[in-house]
């Protein structure tokens, strides 16, 4: 395998494409363009999951098995709920937000046309002493489009989605932008499909929907595919910041790909955990164990959705999750990609009967 550099232009296209939960059309179309030449079959199910199949050497034989790899393509977002008499837009969150991170941000409302807006709130000059002490709430914010109500309503309606606006930048050995959760995993899966050599089993690459609102898309896809093996690709927290005790850190940026052991929703199959560890060691890839005490990923849906696939996860360490400055280390991204490719190419060499 010859993946030694991040394709920044590709990753930028993926992070910039809109994809609010339940409204993943634009990001799905972008992924379809990227992978269509590298897969044997491609389809979209009723919920919106994009399912791409790459046939294995043992395809159409009794030894063949199904391997499902999931990367959710939705991003945390908002939905328009009200336009007031002055044209200010109120919204409902789609996914989990820390309200204080919304200050001084720009967003895009996807109506009859895309419209750039500012997330507004009261200026500190006008806050009372008591208000300055309060923790920000979602209700404190609104979108300012710089237009009166009659102009806003020409293009924007209740139910339109809102995504965050922020360009990708390289900072040192890292990449920072919005929606790396989970577009960095989408990127890894796209790169894997482009570079994957012969695999023993059929690979079902699933770019799933609605993870951020309850792990929904992956559950439907898993029920339909009923895989024998499943690997979830998603970000994980690092917590490797100042004033955090070592035992409170989940992973560390730049210390390798994460191999999930447990999170709040899933206990990974020990066989898959051991297989991923052994594969990483064989390929001389730096890795770190992930024990996530709070939060979960589609790993749970992959594990429960079919007949109990042997399930694990490759997790990309990420700082500042669910902010517009999410940050990943380039070496961790490359290690994650190489681990996934090596695992898919050698899955038949492991003794799964233990």
């Amino acid at each position: 395998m010859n993946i030694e550099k991040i394709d920044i232009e590709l990753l930028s296209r993926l992070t910039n494409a809109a994809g609010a939960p339940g409204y993943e059309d634009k990001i799905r179309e972008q992924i379809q363009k990227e992978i269509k030449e590298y897969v044997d079959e491609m389809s979209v199910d009723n919920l919106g999951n994009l399912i791409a199949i790459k046939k294995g050497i043992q395809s159409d034989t009794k030894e063949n098995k199904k391997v499902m790899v999931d990367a959710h393509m939705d991003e945390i977002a908002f939905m328009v709920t009200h336009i007031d008499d002055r044209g200010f837009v109120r919204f409902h969150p789609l996914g989990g937000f820390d309200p204080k991170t919304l200050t001084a941000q720009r967003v895009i409302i996807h109506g009859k046309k895309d419209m750039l807006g500012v997330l507004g709130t009261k200026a500190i000059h006008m806050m009372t002493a008591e208000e300055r002490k309060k923790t920000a709430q979602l209700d404190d914010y609104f979108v300012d489009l710089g237009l009166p109500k009659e102009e806003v309503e020409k293009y924007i309606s209740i139910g339109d989605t809102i995504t965050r606006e922020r360009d990708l930048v390289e900072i040192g050995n890292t990449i920072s932008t919005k929606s790396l959760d989970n577009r960095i995993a989408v990127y890894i899966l796209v790169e894997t499909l482009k570079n994957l050599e012969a695999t023993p089993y059929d690979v079902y690459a699933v770019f799933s929907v609605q993870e951020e609102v309850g792990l929904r898309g992956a559950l439907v896809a898993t029920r339909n595919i009923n895989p024998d093996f499943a690997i979830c690709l998603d970000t994980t927290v690092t917590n490797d910041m100042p004033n955090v005790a070592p035992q409170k850190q989940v992973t560390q940026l730049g210390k390798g790909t994460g191999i999930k052991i447990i999170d709040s929703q899933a206990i990974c199959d020990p066989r898959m955990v051991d297989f991923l560890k052994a594969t990483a060691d064989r390929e001389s890839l730096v890795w770190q164990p992930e024990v996530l005490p709070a939060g979960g990923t589609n790993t749970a849906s992959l594990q429960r959705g079919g007949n109990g696939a042997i399930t694990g996860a490759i997790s990309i360490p990420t700082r500042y999750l669910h902010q517009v400055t999410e940050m990943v280390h380039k070496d961790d991204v490359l290690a994650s990609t190489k681990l996934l490719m090596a695992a898919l190419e050698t899955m038949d060499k492991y003794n799964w009967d233990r």
Side-chain angles (χ1 to χ4, degrees):
M1 69 189 79
N2 187 29
I3 298 179
E4 302 299 335
K5 187 177 180 181
I6 306 294
D7 186 339
I8 295 296
E9 290 186 1
L10 169 59
L11 181 55
S12 183
R13 290 196 297 273
L14 294 173
T15 56
N16 280 334
Y23 296 83
E24 295 91 352
D25 305 60
K26 291 182 180 178
I27 180 60
R28 183 171 55 242
E29 291 169 4
Q30 185 64 55
I31 296 168
Q32 288 172 314
K33 291 177 184 176
E34 300 292 345
I35 68 172
K36 62 183 179 182
E37 297 179 12
Y38 303 95
V39 299
D40 297 304
E41 299 177 25
M42 190 163 55
S43 62
V44 178
D45 68 17
N46 287 338
L47 198 61
N49 297 305
L50 173 60
I51 302 167
I53 304 174
K54 199 153 188 171
K55 295 292 185 67
I57 295 172
Q58 298 182 21
S59 189
D60 300 322
T61 72
K62 64 180 181 179
E63 290 81 17
N64 187 42
K65 296 183 184 298
K66 298 176 183 177
V67 185
M68 178 176 169
V69 184
D70 171 83
H72 78 83
M73 58 182 169
D74 58 310
E75 61 183 320
I76 57 172
F78 308 100
M79 178 172 284
V80 174
T81 59
H82 179 71
I83 303 169
D84 74 15
D85 291 340
R86 291 173 293 173
F88 295 121
V89 176
R90 297 287 182 168
F91 53 81
H92 175 75
L94 298 174
F97 279 94
D98 178 357
K100 70 176 181 290
T101 66
L102 303 182
T103 299
Q105 302 299 335
R106 289 188 291 266
V107 295
I108 301 171
I109 303 184
H110 305 282
K112 293 178 181 177
K113 69 175 184 178
D114 287 352
M115 298 187 71
L116 186 65
V118 172
L119 277 176
T121 190
K122 185 185 290 188
I124 192 169
H125 312 71
M126 304 306 296
M127 291 182 182
T128 65
E130 192 62 32
E131 286 175 327
R132 294 184 188 188
K133 296 177 183 178
K134 288 174 55 179
T135 302
Q137 302 296 317
L138 276 172
D139 285 346
D140 295 331
Y141 295 89
F142 50 86
V143 180
D144 185 348
L145 293 167
L147 294 170
K149 180 177 183 179
E150 56 269 22
E151 290 296 316
V152 171
E153 290 183 332
K154 288 180 181 179
Y155 307 104
I156 304 303
S157 302
I158 306 304
D160 287 342
T161 58
I162 308 170
T163 58
R164 298 161 301 156
E165 186 270 342
R166 182 61 65 100
D167 288 334
L168 181 150
V169 294
E170 296 176 75
I171 302 175
N173 294 321
T174 72
I175 297 165
S176 177
T177 188
K178 73 172 187 73
S179 305
L180 285 173
D181 177 11
N182 192 37
R183 303 297 169 73
I184 193 62
V186 168
Y187 167 84
I188 289 170
L189 189 49
V190 168
E191 282 288 271
T192 296
L193 292 173
K194 288 183 175 181
N195 292 277
L196 195 61
E197 297 178 3
T199 62
Y201 306 135
D202 289 350
V203 175
Y204 288 72
V206 178
F207 300 90
S208 58
V209 299
Q210 299 191 43
E211 190 270 356
E212 296 291 359
V213 290
L215 318 182
R216 300 173 186 175
L219 184 62
V220 171
T222 309
R223 285 172 176 166
N224 290 332
I225 295 168
N226 193 20
D228 300 281
F229 305 98
I231 298 174
C232 178
L233 297 178
D234 207 336
T235 55
T236 188
V237 297
T238 55
N239 215 26
D240 60 340
M241 295 173 286
N243 303 320
V244 176
Q247 68 270 22
K248 297 294 184 180
Q249 297 180 9
V250 178
T251 59
Q252 297 182 61
L253 218 64
K255 298 297 184 180
T257 184
I259 296 177
K260 185 184 292 291
I261 298 173
I262 189 173
D263 61 31
S264 68
Q265 300 290 321
I267 299 173
C268 293
D269 193 302
R271 292 168 292 179
M272 183 62 78
V273 174
D274 289 344
F275 169 65
L276 292 174
K277 289 179 179 179
T279 302
D281 289 341
R282 187 188 70 239
E283 299 294 327
S284 300
L285 299 173
V286 181
W287 62 273
Q288 51 189 316
E290 180 207 4
V291 174
L292 183 63
T297 65
N298 276 338
T299 306
S301 291
L302 304 185
Q303 198 172 51
R304 303 171 191 172
N307 289 327
I310 297 174
T311 302
I314 295 173
S315 301
I316 306 93
T318 308
R319 286 183 186 149
Y320 321 124
L321 275 169
H322 285 205
Q323 301 183 35
V324 294
T325 53
E326 290 177 336
M327 178 182 284
V328 295
H329 196 287
K330 294 177 182 179
D331 290 346
D332 298 341
V333 176
L334 292 172
S336 300
T337 308
K338 292 176 181 179
L339 176 56
L340 176 61
M341 290 179 61
L344 294 176
E345 291 172 357
T346 62
M347 195 159 279
D348 62 329
K349 306 300 183 184
Y350 185 79
N351 180 15
W352 298 99
D353 294 328
R354 292 187 299 149

